[in-house]
Amino acid sequence: MRLLPEPGPARTLALSTLVNTVGRGTWLTVSALFLTRSVGLSVVQVGLGLTITALVALVASTPMGYLADRHGPRGMQVGALLASAACTAALVAVRSFATFLVVGVLMAVADAATRGARGALIAGAVPADQRVRTRAYLRAVTNVGISVGAVVAGVGLAADTRAGYVALILLDCATYLLAAAILLRLAPMPPVPAPARGPRLIALRDRPFLAFTVLDGLMSMHFGLLNIALPLWVAEHTTAPRWIVSACMLVNTVIVVFFQVRASRGTEELAGAGRAARRAGVVIAVACTLFAASGGAPTPVAVVLLLAGSLVHVLGELWHSAAGWGISFGLAPAHAQGQYQGAYGMGMQLGGMVAPVVVTSLAVGWGMPGWLLLGGLFLLLGALVPPVVRWAARSRPVDVTPQPAAV
């Protein structure tokens, strides 16, 4: 039930993440309004810019992870945070779509470097049997940080002035700098030499791992159920009050903060992680059924079904996240943790890109049949993970099995 892990490298990582995500929460909350109301971009320009930067981050993820392996993850992570701070400060000077795109692309590359280095940093700083647990702590503090940042951003939103937006952007910049400073408390980690022969970006040639990445990425579409499909479903297809959406979000945030670490137990090994992914598919399918049943139901019944669906959904979210960490760490060779974590992140980005279209078209566009089809899709994706993981485990060369890191 503790928010922070025991003193040591894991706690340093958690503190750095907590600080950084407070700033990230402010930017996520105000970004759209800053770019439209203060910079003067159109909604179409903002959407196009965000799509382009998302594609850049997707392409850059694995190469940035490779560089983290070759040059040392701590230095790469600190450098990426400093670069993100510079890009964030540059947002203040954005006055056109072209400058927004330039800054956004640079920020996407820095963000990809941060993600790739983070995975290698965890693998290098934390013993192998504690990596998934550490990722669980980081996800819990991320939810806290983003929530705090969203509350802080409310001040700027209430003012709705350029000065208020700029102040929040500079706050985000400061959190990047402070997060980088906290990471300097970790011992430097030497680069891991690449094999003398063979391709460099081996993660992109590892077909079993890529198959898992695609399955996991498609499974991650379930994140769009709560923040994209459910608000539209409640407004257009149920008699439930609009505030129920906030209540469902609150249920999700609180449970992730307090139970993500507990839900990660047993996923340190590949077999346990595969079973967790299968359980996640089952319970997310149940959640889709509960959400579907709320359509047209009397208001009290709809409220109960929506809250129950949110509770069941977050259980699947906890298991899905923990399973992904266990599998991505467990399948990565010791000399390529960074690029494998970067490749794993590509799946999540892919899911984030396709989720808005898929979940709105099915759940909102088709109604109850669409929800049930989505549930069947998640059930199938979860069921496919264990056999794919077994395939991937059989293909691992013995000499690249990750070894526990020395702290």
Side-chain angles (χ1 to χ4, degrees):
M1 296 295 289
R2 296 171 54 181
L3 179 60
L4 294 176
E6 295 77 9
R11 175 168 290 192
T12 300
L13 290 167
L15 287 172
S16 177
T17 300
L18 181 61
V19 169
N20 186 217
T21 52
V22 170
R24 184 171 180 80
T26 63
W27 171 244
L28 289 174
T29 305
V30 305
S31 57
L33 289 177
F34 167 73
L35 293 170
T36 54
R37 296 178 66 83
S38 182
V39 177
L41 302 182
S42 68
V43 174
V44 173
Q45 287 176 320
V46 172
L48 177 61
L50 293 177
T51 300
I52 292 173
T53 56
L55 288 172
V56 170
L58 179 70
V59 173
S61 289
T62 304
M64 289 297 105
Y66 173 83
L67 291 177
D69 292 324
R70 301 291 78 83
H71 298 286
R74 193 196 74 161
M76 188 75 172
Q77 178 82 324
V78 170
L81 289 171
L82 295 177
S84 295
C87 292
T88 300
L91 287 168
V92 176
V94 169
R95 290 291 188 275
S96 66
F97 177 70
T99 54
F100 164 57
L101 200 57
V102 170
V103 173
V105 166
L106 293 175
M107 188 176 291
V109 173
D111 190 50
T114 300
R115 285 195 302 273
R118 183 187 300 118
L121 193 59
I122 295 169
V126 179
D129 61 351
Q130 292 296 314
R131 290 170 184 168
V132 174
R133 182 178 175 84
T134 299
R135 285 297 298 260
Y137 272 117
L138 297 187
R139 183 158 190 260
V141 300
T142 292
N143 273 262
V144 173
I146 289 179
S147 298
V148 171
V151 172
V152 172
V155 178
L157 292 176
D160 194 25
T161 62
R162 178 168 179 81
Y165 291 129
V166 168
L168 292 173
I169 289 173
L170 296 180
L171 172 63
D172 187 16
C173 177
T175 63
Y176 278 116
L177 297 175
L178 182 55
I182 292 172
L183 285 181
L184 293 177
R185 296 165 54 184
L186 293 175
M189 296 174 194
V192 180
R197 298 178 180 179
R200 292 294 180 255
L201 296 179
I202 59 173
L204 299 182
R205 295 170 178 262
D206 189 337
R207 287 181 293 177
F209 184 81
L210 291 179
F212 157 70
T213 296
V214 171
L215 288 176
D216 188 79
L218 293 176
M219 177 77 85
S220 72
M221 290 191 300
H222 73 80
F223 290 105
L225 297 180
L226 212 60
N227 56 28
I228 299 173
L230 199 61
L232 297 173
W233 175 255
V234 168
E236 299 179 13
H237 295 274
T238 77
T239 59
R242 305 294 185 266
W243 56 259
I244 196 64
V245 175
S246 296
C248 292
M249 295 288 189
L250 183 62
V251 167
N252 180 275
T253 300
V254 170
I255 291 180
V256 169
V257 168
F258 288 106
F259 294 100
Q260 181 65 79
V261 175
R262 181 175 297 182
S264 69
R265 294 174 184 170
T267 59
E268 299 85 358
E269 302 295 331
L270 290 175
R275 289 193 295 269
R278 185 170 55 210
R279 289 197 304 271
V282 172
V283 296
I284 293 172
V286 172
C288 288
T289 303
L290 292 171
F291 290 145
S294 68
T299 299
V301 175
V303 167
V304 171
L305 288 171
L306 290 168
L307 289 174
S310 300
L311 180 60
V312 174
H313 170 266
V314 76
L315 295 177
E317 181 179 326
L318 298 177
W319 282 325
H320 167 244
S321 298
W325 302 328
I327 295 167
S328 63
F329 279 128
L331 294 179
H335 68 277
Q337 282 286 351
Q339 65 167 292
Y340 268 73
Q341 295 306 312
Y344 165 64
M346 290 172 59
M348 299 290 288
Q349 292 170 295
L350 174 65
M353 291 174 63
V354 302
V357 174
V358 173
V359 301
T360 55
S361 298
L362 292 180
V364 183
W366 286 11
M368 183 178 292
W371 277 111
L372 297 178
L373 182 58
L374 274 173
L377 175 61
F378 290 124
L379 186 65
L380 175 63
L381 291 170
L384 288 175
V385 171
V388 168
V389 169
R390 289 193 293 270
W391 171 36
R394 289 193 300 268
S395 72
R396 301 300 94 178
V398 175
D399 61 345
V400 298
T401 301
Q403 299 298 318
V407 178

